[in-house]
Amino acid sequence: MTTRCRALLSDSWYFLEVSGLCQVRFCFASLEWSPPRFCSARRIRPPPRFCSKWLLVGGLIGLKSSQAMHSFPQRYLQAYRSELTEFIELVRAGPESEMHRLEQQAMLRHPNVVRTTITAEMSWKQGKTVNLAELMNFGSDNLQVAAICSPEAELAMKDVVKVALVGLGRAGHFHMESVLQLPGIVRLAWVIDIDTEKAKRIATEKGCRWSSSLDAALAGPDAVDAVIIASATDTHFPYIMQALNADKAVLAEKPISHELNEVVEAVELAKQKNLAFVCGYQRRADRHFRELKRQLDAGAIGNLKLLKTCSRDNPIPPMEYLRTSGGIFHDMLIHDFDMLDFLSGGQIPESVTATGHAYHPEIKAMGDVDTCAVMFKYPSGLIAMVDTSRDASYGYDQRIEAFGEQGMLSAKNNLTSTIELATADGHLMPPAMYSFPQRYHEAYRSELTEFIELVRAGPESKMHRLEQQAMLRHPNVVRTTIAAEMSWKQGMTVQVASIQPHVLPTPEPPQKLLRTQVPEGYPQTSASDEKHAKQTMAFVKGQQERWLKFNKGEKSIMDVLKFLDDEPFQRAECIRASWPGEEYEWFHLVGLLHNLGKIMAAPEVAGQEALDQWAVLGDTFPVGCAPAEDACLLPEAFKTNPDYSHPLYGTKNGIYKAGCGISNLIMSWGKDECFA
C-alpha cells in the first residue's frame, strides 16, 4: 500500500495523517495513542468543524451532521494547515516583502497578550480584580501597542495599490467596505459616479478624490493602478474597455456585457495587453464552495454525475433595478452558470432546457420571470440542474450538491449562527442570512484581496498566467446564459453550439465597397444614405431596448392606418397592381402591414422618442458585419458609418458564423421592427 504521511505538532500532541488507498488518523500524547475516531476503505476527510457547510457521504460509513469533533486536532485541522501554509509563504516571501513587514508589525501584539494572561492568573491567585495597567511597564517600552503606528509601519504603505471605484450604489458599497478593510494593501484613491453630490460626499468622508468621469483617474500624477467597476449594468463594458485601454488592471462586477461579442472583445483586449482582468463572481471566493471544489478535484466522490445548485434571493430587489438588470438569466442565474463551470472543471454544456414563471405581476410586465428551473446536459454525461427565485420568505438560500460514483458532496445554506436550541418542543435552528451582503461579506473581501495580490504579482507571475487562462471562460458562461434564456423564451431545448462562436475571427481588412446600380427613378441622395451612415450596432441595440418592451400604449390596426393617413393602403394597392390575383393576397397584406411601423416616427405617439425618417425606412440590411456590395443599394454611404472601420463589425462575417442562417442576423432598425 502506497502511503503519504504528514505530521503536525502542537505541544505534546502529534496529528499523523496517512493517505493513500486507506486513511487512518491517530492522536499521540506522551507516546500513548488512542484508537482512531473512524476508519474507511476510501479517502474520507472529516468536516473542518462541527458546523461545516459540506458533508461527504459514501464508502462503508458516512458522516452524520450531528457528530461533534473528537478533539481540537479534528476541529482545527484546516486552521493548522492554513497557518502552516501562510508561514511557509512568509518565509519564501523574504524580509523585503510586504507580507514580512506586516508580520513584523503583527508580532508586536504578543507582549500585550502575555500581559493579559499574567493579569488573569494574578486575579485568580489573589482572588480580586487586577488592573491591567499595573503590568503595562512589563518589558521593553518599544513593544507597546502604540508601536504599530511607528515609522516602520508607514513604510509598508509604499507598495499600496491605488484603486478607483466606479459606481457608488449597492455593489459599489460592498467593494468600498472591502477596500477600507485592507488599509495596508490597497488605498481608495478615486470614487466615480454620475451623481456628483454623492461622489463628493463619499470622497470627503473617505479622504479621496472624486469625479463623474473615469478620465482623470486613469492619467496624470494621481493615476490609479487598478479600477473596480460596480456601476449600472449597461455601463460595465465601456468602463472596462476604457480602463483596459489605459493599461489598468480591472475588477468588474458581472456582467461584462449582455452581448457575446463584447465579452469576447474585452477578454481579447485584456489578453493582448497582458492585463489583470477579473469579473466578480464572488461565489468562487466563498470558502465553503472552495472546499467543495477541492474535494471534487481530489476525487472524493469519483466521477461526477450530477450537479445541483439552488439560489433563492431575499428580499426581492427593487423594481427600478430589475428593469435595467438584463433579466433573471443575465442578472442572477449567470452566477449559478459560472459555478457550474467552476465545479465541473470548465466543461461546456451541449444543450440546455429552461422553464420559468412570473408570480409577481410587475416582473411579468417586464417580460421576465421570477422563478426558474434550468437543466444542462454535458458531452461527458454530466447533468446539471439549477433552481432559482427572486425571493424566499425564509431568507437568503444558497446550496450546492454534487453526486458522483463514490458518494455525494453538499454545501448547506449558511445560517446566522451555529446555535441550535433543543427543548421538549423539538429543535429550533437559527434563521438563514438575510441577503447576499451578509452571506458573501467574507467572499467579497477575499475576492478583492486576491485581485490586489494579482495586480502586485505582476504580468510575469504564475498567478497572472493562471488568471489569463481563467478569463477565457467568460464568453462560454455568457453563451450558456444566452442559450438558457433562449430556451425559456422559445419553450424548447437549445443546443449551446448554436449560439454565436465565442472566439473572435481573425480580423480581415474591410472589403472595398462599390456602388451598385441604382434602379431608374431612385434618387441619388436619399434617406437611405443617411440610414446607411447611422445604422450602427449600438444604435440598433438601443432601439431594441427602447421599443421592444411594447410599453408605449395600445392602438388597433385601423387606428394606426387612419393616423398614417392611409399611406399603408397606397403601398398595398401598388403591390396589388403589379401582382393581381388571389394567390398574391398574402403579399397584399404584407404591403399593408409593412408601413405600420412608421408610427415610431410620429411625435404624437412616440413623444420625445420619435425617430427620424431614416430610422423607419424599409431598406433593411444586417448590422455587425460589412455590407455585401452586390446586395445593398447605395453602398458608398456605408463608408461614413462608424462600424465600417470597426475591427470586427467591418469584416466580411463580422460577429456571425458563415452559414448561420437569416434568423440569427441582427438587422438594421426600421418600420418592420414593430412586428418583432
Side-chain angles (χ1 to χ4, degrees), residues 569-582 584-589 591-592:
F569 284 115
Q570 297 173 16
R571 175 59 59 89
E573 290 302 327
C574 289
I575 295 174
R576 188 199 302 272
S578 300
W579 286 275
E582 293 183 0
Y584 294 112
E585 284 186 351
W586 64 271
F587 197 7
H588 309 157
L589 178 61
L592 178 69

Side-chain angles (χ1 to χ4, degrees), residues 39-51:
C39 178
S40 171
R42 291 189 304 100
R43 295 189 63 186
I44 294 184
R45 193 178 301 277
R49 56 191 178 92
F50 171 73
C51 58

Side-chain angles (χ1 to χ4, degrees), residues 247-258:
D247 297 320
K248 306 301 179 185
V250 173
L251 168 61
E253 273 294 301
K254 62 82 196 161
I256 298 171
S257 170
H258 295 150

Side-chain angles (χ1 to χ4, degrees), residues 162-180 186-194 198-199 202-203 206 208-214 217-218 224-231 239 249 251-253 448:
K162 295 187 296 182
V163 301
L165 175 60
V166 182
L168 299 175
R170 184 172 61 165
H173 174 75
F174 306 145
H175 289 294
M176 181 166 61
E177 290 301 311
S178 297
V179 169
L180 297 177
V186 59
R187 178 167 70 86
L188 184 63
W190 285 83
V191 289
I192 314 294
D193 199 281
I194 57 175
K198 179 191 288 186
I202 292 179
K206 308 304 179 185
C208 62
R209 305 191 67 177
W210 67 273
S211 177
S212 59
S213 167
L214 184 56
L218 299 179
V224 297
D225 304 301
V227 179
I228 302 173
I229 298 171
S231 53
Y239 278 131
L251 168 61
E253 273 294 301
L448 176 65

Side-chain angles (χ1 to χ4, degrees), residues 287-303:
R287 61 190 177 94
H288 304 299
F289 296 159
R290 281 186 171 180
E291 175 60 19
L292 192 149
K293 166 68 170 172
R294 188 191 69 78
Q295 294 270 337
L296 276 176
D297 292 346
I301 60 173
N303 187 44

Side-chain angles (χ1 to χ4, degrees), residues 258-388:
H258 295 150
E259 300 301 324
L260 182 55
N261 62 288
E262 291 183 346
V263 176
V264 175
E265 190 175 347
V267 170
E268 288 295 320
L269 180 60
K271 285 176 58 184
Q272 175 189 336
K273 288 180 167 284
N274 201 24
L275 292 169
F277 175 38
V278 176
C279 186
Y281 293 103
Q282 83 280 359
R283 295 186 197 178
R284 286 182 176 241
D286 178 73
R287 61 190 177 94
H288 304 299
F289 296 159
R290 281 186 171 180
E291 175 60 19
L292 192 149
K293 166 68 170 172
R294 188 191 69 78
Q295 294 270 337
L296 276 176
D297 292 346
I301 60 173
N303 187 44
L304 187 60
K305 292 181 174 181
L306 289 171
L307 266 177
K308 294 181 182 179
T309 71
C310 172
S311 298
R312 298 169 189 169
D313 208 349
N314 178 68
I316 189 168
M319 294 299 151
E320 294 76 13
Y321 168 78
L322 294 182
R323 290 189 181 94
T324 60
S325 68
I328 194 170
F329 286 88
H330 290 274
D331 178 54
M332 191 172 175
L333 278 161
I334 195 170
H335 277 289
D336 295 275
F337 300 161
D338 182 69
M339 283 304 295
L340 295 181
D341 177 273
F342 178 56
L343 297 174
S344 70
Q347 293 188 48
I348 301 174
E350 62 183 11
S351 65
V352 55
T353 306
T355 185
H357 184 77
Y359 289 94
H360 293 269
E362 292 174 283
I363 293 179
K364 184 176 182 180
M366 300 175 197
D368 198 8
V369 293
D370 52 54
T371 306
C372 192
V374 186
M375 185 171 73
F376 295 98
K377 180 69 169 60
Y378 292 77
S380 66
L382 173 65
I383 298 173
M385 289 157 279
V386 178
D387 81 72
T388 190

